[in-house]
């Protein structure tokens, strides 16, 4: 039978709900239910009658109670227990009382974790039973008043604590909200007013703080006939004198990921690494050891413990997907949010010169040739410390090496008691991972010795323990140990110059590998060529080609392939998430070694490259499938990089050009500008390629990415090369290149030339009957018309272009068209229409990752808000500026006129200190936070016109 819950809300106006039905009861019936719920015990009829009808004789009061009960029983059903002399709510049926949840949340809250406090305060909708008016109930009213004062005091104390917490962390919006609620409850509390004045001053709103003092004075005079205390007046004088300065929001202290599982058995190492990193003379610490020993987990835990020890915090850069030393410094710079530059290392030196930062570089072993530059970095930045994880020493002067040991294992000769053995690091890890695949698994007297022996045989290596524990799903510990013992012969199969523990790790992986069937082994080693995971379709094409090859004479069926993948998942050699399969980097390295040993790696790499190079040529980056293809290419980004690198390494000029030409729109739309230019220029530099349409398209793409980074000279050079090839080969794509040349002219403010190039491109597209193609120069033409002052024509063209892109379903172009039209209609004074266009553009653009255009949309939203809410505008401009720096896409010169006009308007409408503080706060926002604020502001702005 369904047990429907009775919800009783007492904090604020009373509200009773049974299931989804709101109960409509008389005030005294509501009072009775709330009293029974809050007190949580049975009450006699005599007591309840006297409580609710205290002014009537006892007989009349009891008669009124009897009259009420039938309708109340009908409304509450089994939730109301009516006995001969007593009434109560049925404790066997679910009752949810907001007051109980409120008190429980306050009790659970701690000074460091206020989540429960926030949740409790959300339940406090107002005073206890606010608005409940009863006649002739003096006893009940006395009870309500006592309850009301108690819970209001608790709420006020909680709001004080919450406001102080947010103020200390410079989370001014949340602190203001908490203080606002506090003063709604008790507007006469001077300490709350002082807290709000301090907050406003510290958040850069000095004038607002001074104005609030005046409001406080009026309120005290009106309600209490009193003047503010000397303490309040002294605070006012300090703010007026500028003694309480604005505190900008702190930048993020770190970018470390949250740990998903506990770090077991590393207390000693964690302390040692922490102590080393706090030594003044130590600047470079390398955590070294074999793959899978836990270097990364130890580094992350040590860094997390030291976040507050470095003035500029801690920053992690994962190099797992970087194999070229030349990409290390651009990757580090991009991770730190620096604008892409030709000399990324020089940019890093300048950025870090005055910072006190711990920089964690993970998986450095595959880019060792880049190590000498670490010394340069440290020499230029005296406050910088580096924590590096690597399987190999860097061999740098001043490097301090810390060998990460395996987990401690039990002494088999003196096996401890079960309770002690459970706490052994290696045993604890093994048991935890075993329970993950078999929840019923427990360390017991019967299996303790066997489990301890497994841990010793595996030398306490975390990855080896995890691989072995995965087999607990199908093997008991005794059977597991038997198979493991036989496979230990493999522990000497690693490189002879490697440490014993490295060979042990190879043996542990090899043990799992050798438990696979031959077809599963072939699949496993071939999977090593994928980076960033793969779909089942890609795996089938690359690892099991059809028709058969010499290395794969008997490819499996689709169902057999899925069985093989499942076997790899069960053995913890493979991971699966959202329809994709991937490997840990350590296991992938083993798989690649095995594939190379078999002599099949070159063919597998060739098939991998062939599959993904072909995928690029299938990509539909114009038209209705654009969004789906952008998402797909984002997922395959690392595989595409590997395929392109293979083509460049093999000198496959035609293949490299064809794929780079196919991908330039992807790099353009996602604002991977520097990377895209590097791939395009690398493909164009290969010898042997004919003057083909693919080369023309690659040149065109290189030109587009160049102008997006304001490199107009190179852009025009590449576009003119493209145009010459297209004209020589019969004219295909000439309209496209002319349009891009027009953009370069437009950006260089050569409007007459730009207009001519756009009109020539438009005429060619129309001759070809290509409506979608024609919309591009037509849209660009509207930009020239706008800047030349013909707003009506610019609007007509922009609306026509938007209509075409909507009809064709081309998402990225829709966002661009919305952006352009919003600028025109705002200038025409149609602010509500502009707000609607910007809101649609932000929502769609964020969904597809529209890169540079998203910065434009934030800036235009800020311009719309400039006069009415200038501080909101400042936050959005600050966020857009930071976002442009991260993606390396500067604002176009032709946009500066509108931008400067809006900026001037906003500054004139606000206090300079508050404006600059808001700008700084905006720079600390990530894009999603900024977009959320922009959408909220646009919604509020549009509401003023409705």
């Amino acid at each position: 039978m369904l047990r429907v819950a009775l919800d009783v809300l007492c904090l604020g106006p009373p509200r009773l709900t049974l299931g989804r039905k709101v109960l409509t009861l008389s005030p005294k019936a509501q009072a009775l239910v709330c009293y029974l719920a809050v007190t949580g015990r049975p009450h006699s009829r005599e007591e309840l009658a006297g409580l609710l009808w205290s002014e009537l004789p006892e007989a009349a009061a009891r008669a009124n109670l009897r009259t009420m009960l039938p309708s109340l029983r009908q409304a509450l059903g089994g939730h109301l227990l009516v006995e001969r002399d007593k009434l109560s709510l049925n404790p066997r049926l679910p009752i949810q009382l907001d007051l109980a949840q409120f008190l429980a949340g306050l009790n659970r809250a701690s000074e460091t974790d206020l989540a429960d406090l926030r949740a409790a305060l959300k339940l406090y909708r107002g005073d206890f039973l606010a608005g409940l008016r009863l006649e002739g109930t003096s006893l009940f009213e006395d009870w309500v008043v006592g309850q009301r004062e108690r819970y209001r005091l608790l709420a006020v104390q909680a709001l004080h604590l919450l406001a102080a917490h947010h103020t200390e962390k410079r989370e001014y919006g949340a602190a203001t909200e908490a203080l606002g609620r506090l003063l709604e409850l008790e507007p006469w509390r001077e300490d709350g007013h002082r807290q709000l004045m301090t907050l406003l001053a510290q958040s850069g709103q000095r004038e607002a703080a001074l104005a609030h003092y005046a409001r406080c004075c009026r309120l005290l005079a009106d309600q209490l006939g009193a003047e503010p205390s000397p303490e309040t007046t002294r605070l006012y004088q300090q703010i007026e004198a500028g003694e309480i300065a604005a505190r900008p929001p702190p930048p993020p202290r770190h970018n470390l990921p949250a740990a998903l599982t506990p770090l077991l058995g590393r207390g000693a190492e964690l302390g040692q690494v922490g102590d080393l990193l706090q030594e003044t003379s130590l600047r470079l610490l390398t955590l070294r050891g074999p793959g899978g020993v836990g270097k990364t987990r130890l580094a992350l835990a040590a860094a997390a413990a030291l976040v507050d020890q470095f003035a500029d915090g801690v920053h992690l850069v994962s190099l797992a997907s970087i194999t070229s030393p030349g990409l290390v410094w651009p990757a580090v710079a991009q991770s730190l949010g620096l604008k892409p530059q030709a000399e990324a290392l020089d940019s890093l030196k300048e950025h870090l010169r005055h910072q006190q930062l711990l920089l964690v570089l993970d998986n450095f072993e595959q880019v060792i040739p880049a190590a000498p530059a670490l010394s340069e970095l440290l020499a230029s930045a005296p406050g910088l410390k580096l924590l590096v994880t690597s399987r190999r020493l860097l061999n740098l002067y001043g490097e301090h090496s810390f060998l990460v040991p395996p987990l401690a294992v039990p002494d088999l000769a003196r096996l401890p008691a079960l309770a002690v053995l459970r706490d052994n690091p290696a045993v604890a890890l093994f048991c935890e991972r075993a329970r993950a695949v078999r929840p019923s698994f427990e360390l017991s007297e019967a299996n303790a010795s066997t489990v301890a022996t497994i841990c010793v045989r595996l030398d306490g290596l975390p990855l080896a323990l995890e691989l072995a524990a995965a087999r607990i799903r199908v093997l008991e510990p005794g059977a597991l140990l038997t198979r493991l013992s036989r496979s230990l012969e493999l522990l000497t199969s690693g490189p002879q110059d490697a440490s014993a523990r490295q060979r042990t790790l190879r043996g542990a992986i090899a043990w799992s590998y050798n438990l696979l069937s031959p077809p599963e082994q072939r699949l496993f080693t071939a999977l090593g060529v994928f980076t960033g995971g793969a779909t089942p379709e890609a795996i089938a094409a690359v690892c099991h080609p059809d028709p058969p090859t010499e290395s794969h004479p008997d490819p499996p069926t689709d169902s057999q392939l899925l069985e093989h993948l499942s076997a790899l998942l069960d053995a913890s050699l493979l991971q699966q998430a959202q329809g994709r399969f991937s490997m840990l980097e350590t296991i992938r390295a083993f798989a690649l070694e095995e594939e190379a040993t078999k002599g099949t790696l070159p063919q597998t790499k060739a098939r991998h490259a062939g599959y993904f190079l072909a995928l690029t040529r299938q990509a539909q980056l114009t038209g209705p499938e654009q969004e789906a293809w952008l998402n797909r290419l984002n997922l395959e980004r690392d595989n595409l990089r590997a395929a392109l690198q293979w083509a460049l390494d093999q000198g496959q000029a035609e293949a490299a050009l064809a794929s780079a030409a196919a991908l330039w729109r992807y790099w353009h739309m996602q604002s991977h500008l520097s990377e895209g230019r590097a791939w395009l220029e690398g493909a164009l530099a290969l010898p042997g390629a004919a003057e083909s349409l693919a080369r023309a398209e690659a040149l065109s793409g290189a030109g587009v990415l160049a102008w997006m980074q304001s490199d107009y000279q190179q852009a025009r050079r590449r576009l003119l090369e493209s145009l010459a090839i297209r004209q020589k080969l019969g004219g295909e794509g000439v309209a496209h290149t002319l349009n891009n040349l027009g953009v370069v002219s437009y950006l260089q403010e050569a409007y007459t030339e730009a207009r001519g190039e756009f009109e020539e491109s438009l005429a060619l597209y129309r001759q070809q009957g290509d409506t979608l193609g024609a919309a591009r120069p037509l849209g660009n033409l509207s930009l020239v018309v706008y800047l030349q002052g013909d707003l009506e024509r610019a609007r007509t063209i922009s609306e026509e272009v938007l209509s075409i892109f909507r009809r064709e379903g081309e998402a990225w172009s829709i966002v661009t068209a919305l952006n352009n039209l919003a600028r025109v209609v705002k200038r025409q004074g149609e602010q509500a229409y502009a707000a609607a266009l910007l809101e649609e553009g932000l929502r769609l653009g964020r969904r597809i990752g529209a890169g540079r255009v998203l910065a434009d949309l934030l800036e235009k939203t800020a311009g719309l808000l400039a006069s009415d809410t200038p501080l909101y505008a400042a936050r959005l401009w600050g966020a857009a500026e930071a976002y442009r720096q991260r993606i390396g896409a500067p604002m176009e010169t032709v946009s500066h006129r509108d931008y400067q006009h809006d900026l001037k308007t906003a500054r004139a409408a606000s206090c300079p200190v508050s404006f600059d503080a808001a700008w700084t706060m905006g720079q600390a926002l990530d894009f999603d936070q900024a977009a959320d604020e922009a959408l909220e502001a646009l919604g509020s702005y549009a509401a003023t016109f409705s």
Side-chain angles (χ1 to χ4, degrees):
M1 179 178 177
L2 184 63
R3 293 154 59 90
V4 179
L6 173 65
D7 288 337
V8 182
L9 302 185
C10 296
L11 297 174
R15 187 168 183 265
L16 306 176
T17 307
L18 191 59
R20 296 183 179 181
K21 180 183 179 182
V22 177
L23 301 181
T24 304
L25 303 176
S26 68
K28 288 199 175 181
Q30 283 185 322
L32 175 61
V33 176
C34 291
Y35 185 79
L36 293 174
V38 171
T39 57
R41 60 182 177 84
H43 293 272
S44 69
R45 293 189 181 218
E46 180 182 1
E47 177 189 357
L48 294 173
L51 186 73
L52 295 174
W53 289 275
S54 52
E55 311 303 327
L56 296 179
E58 181 180 342
R62 293 190 63 147
N64 285 343
L65 179 60
R66 282 196 304 272
T67 302
M68 176 197 293
L69 287 179
S71 60
L72 191 56
R73 290 180 71 174
Q74 183 177 2
L76 297 181
H79 280 279
L80 181 65
L81 292 181
V82 180
E83 300 177 55
R84 182 180 182 87
D85 296 317
K86 294 184 295 186
L87 297 178
S88 64
L89 294 180
N90 190 345
R92 296 183 178 180
L93 293 179
I95 298 175
Q96 297 177 1
L97 176 64
D98 61 345
L99 180 58
Q101 296 169 334
F102 171 73
L103 295 174
L106 296 184
N107 289 332
R108 285 194 303 267
S110 68
E111 292 185 5
T112 56
D113 185 1
L114 299 181
D116 287 313
L117 191 69
R118 295 188 192 95
L121 286 168
K122 284 183 180 179
L123 296 171
Y124 196 91
R125 299 175 297 118
D127 281 340
F128 181 75
L129 298 183
L132 184 63
R133 298 286 182 264
L134 303 179
E135 293 181 1
T137 58
S138 57
L139 292 178
F140 182 80
E141 289 294 340
D142 289 344
W143 176 76
V144 168
V145 169
Q147 300 290 312
R148 184 171 293 167
E149 292 301 319
R150 176 192 174 198
Y151 303 132
R152 180 192 292 171
L153 178 60
L154 289 174
V156 167
Q157 291 171 342
L159 287 166
H160 262 301
L161 178 60
L162 192 62
H165 172 82
H166 287 304
T167 301
E168 179 62 28
K169 289 186 170 294
R170 303 184 220 177
E171 296 166 348
Y172 298 126
T176 302
E177 181 183 356
L179 288 173
R181 288 196 63 195
L182 185 152
L183 292 173
E184 285 176 5
L185 294 176
E186 294 191 351
W188 54 84
R189 290 187 67 109
E190 282 195 66
D191 55 352
H193 288 287
R194 287 194 298 271
Q195 204 172 353
L196 183 55
M197 289 168 61
T198 302
L199 168 67
L200 291 170
Q202 289 181 344
S203 64
Q205 302 178 67
R206 175 176 173 275
E207 298 302 322
L210 298 175
H212 188 80
Y213 173 77
R215 285 195 294 273
C216 176
C217 292
R218 289 195 300 271
L219 188 147
L220 293 173
D222 293 344
Q223 295 199 11
L224 303 178
E227 294 183 351
S229 67
E231 185 179 359
T232 304
T233 302
R234 187 163 53 252
L235 175 63
Y236 168 80
Q237 293 167 347
Q238 289 174 328
I239 295 172
E240 188 177 45
E243 296 175 14
I244 299 181
R247 301 170 66 200
R253 297 288 299 152
H254 68 84
N255 68 335
L256 304 174
L260 299 179
T261 57
L263 182 64
L264 299 173
R266 292 297 192 192
E269 293 86 353
L270 197 56
Q272 291 169 339
V273 171
D275 290 342
L276 287 170
L277 288 171
Q278 293 182 81
E279 288 184 12
T280 305
S281 60
L282 190 147
R283 305 282 309 286
L284 169 60
L285 178 61
T286 301
L287 303 188
R288 67 181 181 91
V293 79
K295 300 183 297 295
T296 298
R297 285 296 309 274
L298 180 58
L300 293 178
L306 295 173
V307 167
D308 293 331
Q309 302 299 313
F310 292 84
D312 297 296
V314 173
H315 195 88
L316 166 69
V317 181
S318 174
L319 302 174
S321 63
I322 305 296
T323 56
S324 169
L327 292 177
V328 171
W329 307 120
V332 175
Q334 183 180 13
S335 177
L336 286 168
L338 302 184
K339 179 180 177 180
Q341 295 185 6
E343 295 297 327
L345 183 58
D346 291 341
S347 173
L348 275 172
K349 291 177 184 177
E350 184 60 32
H351 176 74
L352 297 171
R353 187 177 303 280
H354 302 295
Q355 291 204 1
Q356 287 184 304
L357 178 76
L358 175 62
L359 186 61
V360 184
L361 301 176
D362 191 33
N363 292 303
F364 209 92
E365 65 273 357
Q366 52 199 13
V367 288
I368 288 293
L374 294 176
S375 297
E376 297 180 39
L377 205 57
L378 289 168
S380 65
L384 175 68
K385 287 198 177 187
L386 297 177
L387 177 58
V388 178
T389 72
S390 176
R391 298 182 202 176
R392 295 166 52 192
L393 277 173
L394 307 184
N395 289 317
L396 297 177
Y397 180 78
E399 177 186 18
H400 190 108
S401 172
F402 182 91
L403 180 62
V404 179
L407 294 173
V409 296
D411 183 351
L412 295 181
R414 291 182 295 274
L415 207 60
L418 195 62
V420 177
L421 184 61
R422 285 196 179 100
D423 292 332
N424 175 267
V427 172
L429 178 61
F430 179 89
C431 291
E432 180 191 66
R433 297 298 187 265
R435 280 191 294 271
V437 298
R438 187 171 157 188
S440 63
F441 179 81
E442 286 291 341
L443 189 69
S444 65
E445 294 290 353
N447 64 24
S449 176
T450 304
V451 169
T453 304
I454 290 172
C455 294
V456 171
R457 294 288 178 88
L458 293 175
D459 280 348
L461 288 164
L463 180 57
L465 292 167
E466 293 186 7
L467 291 170
R471 287 292 175 180
I472 289 295
R473 177 183 293 177
V474 293
L475 296 174
E476 292 298 327
L480 179 62
L481 179 58
T482 300
R483 297 192 182 197
L484 179 60
S485 298
R486 287 201 300 265
S487 71
L488 288 177
E489 298 170 2
L490 297 171
L491 296 182
T492 57
S493 63
Q496 291 304 306
D497 61 345
S499 70
R501 290 195 177 95
Q502 284 176 301
R503 294 199 299 274
T504 300
L505 179 61
R506 274 193 54 84
I509 301 174
W511 162 70
S512 281
Y513 169 69
N514 284 324
L515 289 176
L516 303 173
S517 67
E520 291 164 359
Q521 289 179 344
R522 286 198 296 270
L523 174 61
F524 168 71
T525 59
L527 282 170
V529 298
F530 291 100
T531 60
T535 62
E537 295 77 15
I539 291 170
V542 174
C543 302
H544 292 296
D546 188 16
T549 66
E550 182 178 347
S551 59
H552 293 79
D554 187 22
T557 63
D558 290 343
S559 61
Q560 288 173 327
L561 177 60
L562 291 176
E563 289 177 8
H564 299 338
L565 289 170
S566 296
L568 298 180
L569 288 169
D570 289 343
S572 292
L573 292 171
L574 199 61
Q575 297 174 318
Q576 184 182 24
Q578 298 179 335
R580 293 176 67 80
F581 295 89
S582 61
M583 287 179 171
L584 296 174
E585 283 301 308
T586 304
I587 295 176
R588 194 173 79 85
F590 176 90
L592 283 173
E593 287 180 13
E594 289 296 313
E595 189 78 354
T597 299
K598 293 189 297 184
T600 52
L601 184 58
Q603 301 96 303
T604 308
K605 279 189 170 182
R607 287 196 303 273
H608 174 274
Y611 177 84
F612 285 103
L613 293 175
L615 181 69
T616 64
R617 296 190 289 273
Q618 298 166 20
Q620 300 295 315
L621 293 176
T622 60
E625 295 184 44
Q626 182 185 74
E627 184 177 351
W629 272 101
L630 286 174
N631 291 335
R632 185 172 181 183
L633 294 177
N634 275 329
L635 288 173
E636 301 295 0
R637 188 177 173 190
D638 287 337
N639 283 315
L640 296 174
R641 286 170 166 168
L644 281 168
Q645 190 63 57
W646 178 89
L648 294 180
D649 291 344
Q650 299 296 317
Q652 300 280 339
E654 296 294 344
L657 278 172
S659 290
L663 286 174
W664 76 259
R665 283 187 174 86
Y666 165 72
W667 294 317
H668 164 218
M669 293 172 189
Q670 302 297 287
S671 290
H672 303 316
L673 308 181
S674 295
E675 178 181 354
R677 289 183 73 181
W679 288 120
L680 284 160
E681 294 297 342
L684 289 166
L686 287 176
E691 287 193 339
S692 62
L693 288 175
R695 184 174 187 84
E697 187 68 11
L699 287 164
S700 186
V704 170
L705 299 190
W707 65 248
M708 289 187 72
Q709 292 191 310
S710 302
D711 188 353
Y712 302 131
Q713 185 176 7
Q714 176 70 353
R716 184 169 294 280
R717 182 184 304 116
R718 284 310 197 191
L719 289 168
L720 288 173
E721 288 181 61
S722 173
L723 184 63
I725 294 175
R726 292 185 188 282
Q727 290 172 334
K728 183 177 180 180
L729 295 177
E732 183 178 337
V734 166
H736 162 69
T737 304
L738 283 170
N739 177 51
N740 288 330
L741 279 166
V743 172
V744 177
S745 298
Y746 162 76
L747 293 173
Q748 293 181 294
E749 301 181 71
Y751 300 134
T752 302
E753 291 85 346
R755 189 164 187 161
E757 287 159 338
F758 290 146
E759 288 175 343
E760 186 178 355
S761 171
L762 178 61
L764 286 172
Y765 273 124
R766 284 175 170 168
Q767 286 174 15
Q768 298 162 12
D770 186 350
T771 304
L772 179 59
R776 305 187 202 287
L778 188 60
N780 290 329
L781 188 60
S782 75
L783 302 176
V784 177
V785 173
Y786 170 83
L787 288 175
Q788 292 179 332
D790 191 347
L791 299 184
E792 198 56 46
R793 184 161 180 237
R795 175 170 179 165
T796 300
I797 295 174
S798 297
E799 288 178 336
E800 178 186 352
V801 169
L802 177 58
S803 177
I804 293 170
F805 288 141
R806 286 194 194 280
R807 187 171 63 247
E808 296 293 334
E810 193 171 281
W812 194 89
S813 298
I814 291 173
V815 176
T816 304
L818 289 165
N819 178 48
N820 292 338
L821 180 57
R823 177 164 67 166
V824 178
V825 299
K826 172 182 175 286
R827 184 89 173 273
Q828 290 182 312
E830 296 188 33
Q831 315 298 350
Y833 187 19
L837 293 168
L838 291 171
E839 182 176 2
E840 182 185 356
L842 272 170
R843 293 189 188 281
L844 178 56
R846 179 159 65 164
R847 193 176 81 204
I848 65 173
R852 174 184 57 86
V853 185
L854 291 171
D856 290 343
L857 290 164
L858 285 180
E859 288 156 352
K860 287 184 176 60
T861 300
L864 197 64
L865 304 173
S867 58
D868 294 331
T869 51
L871 296 186
Y872 248 128
R875 284 173 67 88
L876 296 181
W877 274 318
E881 179 183 67
Y883 182 61
R884 284 190 180 279
Q885 290 173 351
R886 284 196 294 272
I887 65 175
M891 182 187 293
E892 298 164 351
T893 305
V894 292
S895 298
H896 280 195
R897 185 176 67 182
D898 288 348
Y899 171 72
Q900 292 297 336
H901 174 270
D902 292 334
L903 194 60
K904 183 178 179 181
T905 300
R907 284 193 176 277
S910 62
C911 161
V913 174
S914 300
F915 189 89
D916 291 341
W919 190 293
T920 302
M921 292 178 190
Q923 289 177 315
L925 299 174
D926 63 32
F927 177 78
D928 281 332
Q929 291 171 323
D932 286 340
E933 289 199 9
L935 289 169
E936 181 181 354
L938 286 169
S940 300
Y941 184 83
T944 63
F945 294 91
S946 58

